[in-house]
Amino acid sequence: MLTSSRYNIFIPLFDSCQGASFLLFNTLSGSIDLVDDVIHDTLLSLNSEDKVLCKEFGNNNDKNLADEVIDYLDRRGYLFMNEDEEMEHFDLLYKTFLTFHRQNYPQSVVVIPTYHCNLQCKYCWQRLHNMDSGVITDEVINRLFSSLPEIIENMDEKKIELVVFGGEPLMDYQDLTKKVTSILKKSKEHGFATKIITNGTGLADFIDDNYQLIDLIQVTIDGPPEIHNRRRPLPGADSFDLILKGLDRALKCKKFINLRVNVDFENLPSLPILANILEEHGWLGNGLLDVHLAPTKNHGKNETPGNQGNILQSVLKLRDENELMKIYNLDGFSGYKYIEGFKETGLLPLHRFFHCEAQTNFWAFDLRGDVYACWDAAGIPDLSVGKFSPEVMMDKEKLSIWRDHSSLESEKCKKCKIAPNCGGGCLFMAIEKSNDFLSNYCDPLLADYHQAITTNLDWFKEHAELGDHAVGLVVSDRVISEINLEYGLLDR
């Protein structure tokens, strides 16, 4: 006897495809198939306690599926013997991919030389916690590099990316430039890749003397001048103009730049104008500039989650209307990114069990000698997981709160259809909203999936009919396009 997977998602096709009227997507197995009404109704009926499915079809079933169809749906992960069997597979996949990630993926090591910043961005979470500060000392810098082997699980230098973060690390502020330069030099001596995350206002003054020490630069710009300067104001100056000067200098030094745009409904309509500005400067198509959109987070206890699904829908609509919108990378919308990855490879990314690096191998080290497991938590002493200066003292219980956070923690999360993909959501946002480590903050990942799949329905139908990708086509009496790809440990 078989029961329907709790992670099956049905999306209407609107127009039938060889008898199929739904796209069936399973977030645990990553399988995608087009199915007919009979399969749709049968799988939904199995959610009822009195409904079971077997090849011989007992009296409890009022629908008919061919044996080969039942075998196929079972093999693809849409059916299980019972809920316990499915949860055993969930747990096994999660632990296996977690180990794989920690052993094989690049190690992020973030250094925060100051929490002070010259901008007054209205959505900045750090200002909610009064994080202005001085600058890291030479003693703490030296202690940082000597302590890394004691703290980091995988000290393969080729897999470590050291990121200089803030606050703002490129300000002319209390010898900050000297300290950042020292950190970058020591990173190169250790064989680490290097990255700077900066608001860009001090990039022009920094880059000429230090470009050889930097592999990658991330800068944020939120629209054309009027929009950007309102969202990311620099008292007494024009932050947009300073950023463009910095971008120009860095690109002339042949530096790779990730240009981030924090997008919401305020600045969304102005994005084609920003794209035009970048094009006029001749920066598009040079292979050095990647422009990506990231949904603006809503911080603060009184804030409510933004409707990211609606933002993505509006972004895609604007993209259809304006060719220049094609310059924007949409990887900041996870569901969209995963579906685009599926279109390219036929597989969903292996990191789908984790919300972010805090659950795998992320470390942040600040000027006070504190260690954090989360980008956003850095600077809030109560959320630190240990110290590296003056001595290494790690708190395993605090660290496990971040590393062990997953959608397997609560019954509510486990039953959610997106549980295998969200990793339990953002723990920092959950803490920020409710002050509770056991609470959850639901991401709009499911809305992203719906939007991304709906946008690509013609693509799914085309490849299901051709049988040339990883999209199957199956109806109640036969399997039309069979997919035989393995999907990790769920291949039975």
Side-chain angles (χ1 to χ4, degrees):
M1 296 191 298
L2 298 168
T3 187
S4 178
S5 167
R6 66 175 68 181
Y7 305 117
N8 288 338
I9 296 172
F10 291 95
I11 297 177
L13 294 180
F14 303 113
D15 297 318
S16 177
C17 176
Q18 293 194 38
S21 50
F22 290 90
L23 180 144
L24 173 56
F25 172 37
N26 188 280
T27 54
L28 180 60
S29 67
S31 298
I32 298 179
D33 289 273
L34 306 190
V35 301
D36 65 4
D37 291 340
V38 176
I39 294 174
H40 168 266
D41 295 345
T42 302
L43 292 185
L44 287 184
S45 75
L46 294 178
N47 292 329
S48 302
E49 293 182 2
D50 61 342
K51 294 288 185 178
V52 295
L53 181 64
C54 55
K55 292 181 184 178
E56 294 76 16
F57 255 80
N59 296 328
N60 288 333
N61 297 280
D62 54 7
K63 301 289 184 183
N64 245 327
L65 299 183
D67 286 355
E68 69 166 312
V69 172
I70 296 175
D71 286 338
Y72 181 76
L73 295 175
D74 180 27
R75 180 166 55 79
R76 294 282 279 159
Y78 303 121
L79 295 169
F80 280 87
M81 293 297 296
N82 50 55
E83 289 188 358
D84 288 342
E85 185 202 20
E86 183 169 34
M87 292 315 300
E88 289 174 5
H89 281 283
F90 191 149
D91 185 62
L92 182 59
L93 278 169
Y94 167 73
K95 291 177 179 177
T96 301
F97 287 149
L98 181 63
T99 300
F100 177 84
H101 243 75
R102 288 177 176 171
Q103 292 177 348
N104 296 283
Y105 271 60
Q107 171 76 61
S108 295
V109 175
V110 172
V111 182
I112 303 171
T114 184
Y115 287 110
H116 185 62
C117 184
N118 54 346
L119 295 189
Q120 296 180 356
C121 306
K122 63 181 183 179
Y123 52 72
C124 178
W125 80 94
Q126 290 181 322
R127 289 196 173 275
L128 297 173
H129 303 284
N130 300 312
M131 291 184 182
D132 286 354
S133 70
V135 171
I136 196 168
T137 65
D138 288 330
E139 180 182 3
V140 173
I141 292 174
N142 291 332
R143 185 63 194 138
L144 163 66
F145 284 93
S146 65
S147 69
L148 290 180
E150 297 181 61
I151 299 173
I152 295 178
E153 300 97 327
N154 187 353
M155 270 300 293
D156 183 347
E157 290 85 358
K158 294 180 180 180
K159 293 182 179 179
I160 292 179
E161 179 185 62
L162 188 137
V163 184
V164 181
F165 187 45
E168 172 48 42
L170 300 187
M171 295 181 296
D172 183 12
Y173 172 71
Q174 296 183 7
D175 289 330
L176 179 59
T177 299
K178 292 181 181 178
K179 306 303 184 185
V180 171
T181 302
S182 174
I183 293 168
L184 293 172
K185 285 181 177 179
K186 289 181 180 295
S187 299
K188 285 299 183 184
E189 290 169 2
H190 280 75
F192 303 157
T194 57
K195 176 180 177 180
I196 286 185
I197 297 179
T198 171
N199 62 35
T201 58
L203 180 58
D205 293 333
F206 184 84
I207 192 67
D208 286 342
D209 295 330
N210 298 285
Y211 70 92
Q212 293 179 322
L213 300 174
I214 309 168
D215 296 313
L216 182 65
I217 303 167
Q218 178 175 304
V219 178
T220 300
I221 192 166
D222 271 7
E226 181 181 354
I227 301 293
H228 171 87
N229 287 328
R230 183 168 69 241
R231 290 166 61 89
R232 300 177 67 82
L234 175 62
D238 182 328
S239 65
F240 184 88
D241 185 56
L242 289 173
I243 291 170
L244 257 60
K245 289 180 181 177
L247 292 175
D248 186 58
R249 297 274 277 277
L251 290 169
K252 286 179 178 176
C253 292
K254 304 298 182 183
K255 294 289 100 179
F256 292 97
I257 296 177
N258 285 337
L259 191 60
R260 174 186 174 117
V261 182
N262 294 317
V263 62
D264 49 47
F265 289 114
E266 178 190 29
N267 66 336
L268 176 58
S270 70
L271 295 187
I273 301 174
L274 175 61
N276 189 59
I277 292 172
L278 299 176
E279 183 180 53
E280 289 176 347
H281 279 77
W283 296 335
L284 302 181
N286 62 7
L288 296 174
L289 184 70
D290 177 72
V291 191
H292 70 277
L293 302 184
T296 306
K297 289 185 178 181
N298 293 296
H299 288 279
K301 290 186 177 180
N302 296 324
E303 294 286 348
T304 55
N307 194 332
Q308 182 173 312
N310 284 345
I311 293 175
L312 176 59
Q313 184 178 19
S314 299
V315 167
L316 294 175
K317 183 175 183 295
L318 192 57
R319 208 180 193 197
D320 288 338
E321 296 170 352
N322 195 306
E323 188 67 22
L324 274 176
M325 285 294 294
K326 299 290 176 63
I327 75 159
Y328 294 108
N329 181 326
L330 302 185
D331 284 356
F333 297 89
S334 296
Y336 184 88
K337 175 177 69 175
Y338 294 166
I339 295 302
E340 289 297 303
F342 177 87
K343 287 169 61 180
E344 292 179 11
T345 66
L347 299 169
L348 287 178
L350 294 182
H351 65 274
R352 63 185 183 271
F353 286 96
F354 321 116
H355 174 77
C356 70
E357 298 164 296
Q359 295 157 280
T360 54
N361 59 1
F362 176 87
W363 298 102
F365 303 84
D366 76 0
L367 69 155
R368 300 164 184 155
D370 291 326
V371 182
Y372 296 87
C374 163
W375 289 91
D376 293 358
I380 306 174
D382 288 346
L383 299 182
S384 70
V385 297
K387 296 191 73 69
F388 69 91
S389 180
E391 302 294 334
V392 173
M393 294 184 296
M394 300 300 296
D395 189 322
K396 292 184 179 179
E397 290 186 7
K398 281 190 170 184
L399 179 61
S400 70
I401 291 173
W402 301 93
R403 295 293 194 254
D404 296 338
H405 176 62
S406 78
S407 52
L408 292 168
E409 287 182 308
S410 73
E411 289 301 317
K412 178 183 177 181
C413 284
K414 281 192 290 189
K415 293 178 180 178
C416 175
K417 288 188 179 296
I418 211 68
N421 291 198
C422 79
C426 177
L427 181 58
F428 178 79
M429 293 289 277
I431 295 168
E432 189 178 60
K433 303 297 181 187
S434 63
N435 200 32
D436 182 2
F437 285 101
L438 297 178
S439 63
N440 66 303
Y441 182 86
C442 294
D443 286 340
L445 183 57
L446 184 56
D448 273 14
Y449 272 138
H450 271 278
Q451 186 61 53
I453 289 173
T454 301
T455 300
N456 288 285
L457 279 181
D458 288 342
W459 183 92
F460 283 108
K461 288 189 283 188
E462 176 187 354
H463 289 281
E465 288 187 296
L466 292 173
D468 65 349
H469 200 266
V471 188
L473 179 58
V474 55
V475 292
S476 60
D477 62 345
R478 69 191 188 284
V479 179
I480 299 174
S481 296
E482 182 174 1
I483 304 302
N484 293 307
L485 292 176
E486 295 184 3
Y487 48 94
L489 300 176
L490 272 176
D491 186 61
R492 293 174 288 160

